[in-house]
């Protein structure tokens, strides 16, 4: 300054936090029920480190039966919506998800359901 060039070195450091979601409970076991009877449970989806609003989508499994038929016995509902919202205190609100199963054919299943945000995380 004032015709006296000075060199300033600025060091920046930070932590990159990737958005993620956790589940409570972390896994789901639905009880056996008679054919064509619905069984249902609720899970809490706990978003973390989302800096902007996003929407959760769910990829539900398609099951193949012994005779080759394919069924979609699972369904999900979000009674309070699927939007991940940033609260005024900087945290993300939890979402409630109801997962149900109903089948008119005997079936058991062990597998994954995928919960995906708008950026395909």
């Amino acid at each position: 300054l004032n015709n006296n060039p000075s060199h300033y070195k600025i060091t920046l450091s930070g932590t990159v936090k990737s958005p993620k979601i956790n589940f409570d409970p972390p896994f789901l076991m639905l009880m056996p029920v008679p054919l064509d009877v619905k069984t249902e449970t609720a899970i809490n989806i706990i978003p973390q480190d989302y800096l902007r609003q996003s929407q959760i989508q769910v990829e539900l499994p398609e099951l193949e039966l012994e005779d080759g038929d394919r069924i979609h016995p699972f369904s999900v509902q979000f009674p309070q919506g699927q939007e991940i919202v940033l609260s005024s205190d900087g945290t993300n609100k939890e979402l409630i998800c109801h997962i149900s199963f109903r089948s008119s054919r005997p079936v058991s299943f062990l597998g994954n359901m995928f919960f995906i945000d708008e950026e395909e995380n």
Side-chain angles (χ1 to χ4, degrees):
L1 309 176
N2 296 333
N3 294 326
N4 185 8
S6 299
H7 296 283
Y8 294 95
K9 182 178 180 182
I10 297 175
T11 303
L12 301 175
S13 65
T15 304
V16 176
K17 293 184 176 183
S18 296
K20 62 183 175 183
I21 54 176
N22 292 312
F23 301 91
D24 182 29
F27 65 92
L28 180 64
M29 186 165 65
L30 296 171
M31 300 307 298
V33 292
L35 294 178
D36 224 12
V37 172
K38 181 166 80 170
T39 182
E40 182 177 42
T41 193
I43 62 169
N44 289 320
I45 298 174
I46 307 160
Q48 293 179 309
D49 301 324
Y50 279 84
L51 300 178
R52 61 179 173 261
Q53 188 169 327
S54 188
Q55 186 171 16
I56 296 291
Q57 300 295 324
V58 185
E59 289 182 5
L60 297 173
E62 176 184 69
L63 306 183
E64 184 173 351
L65 302 176
E66 291 178 1
D67 63 2
D69 285 350
R70 298 178 101 45
I71 61 171
H72 298 86
F74 293 98
S75 63
V76 296
Q77 291 183 334
F78 291 85
Q80 299 168 347
Q82 295 171 242
E83 297 291 327
I84 295 174
V85 177
L86 186 64
S87 298
S88 59
D89 64 357
T91 61
N92 300 123
K93 290 179 58 177
E94 291 185 10
L95 302 173
I96 296 173
C97 178
H98 291 264
I99 300 174
S100 62
F101 173 90
R102 178 184 292 190
S103 177
S104 59
R105 308 266 302 272
V107 65
S108 63
F109 170 75
L110 175 64
N112 296 311
M113 289 182 181
F114 294 99
F115 292 77
I116 303 166
D117 67 19
E118 289 178 351
E119 296 181 12
E120 297 187 6
N121 294 312

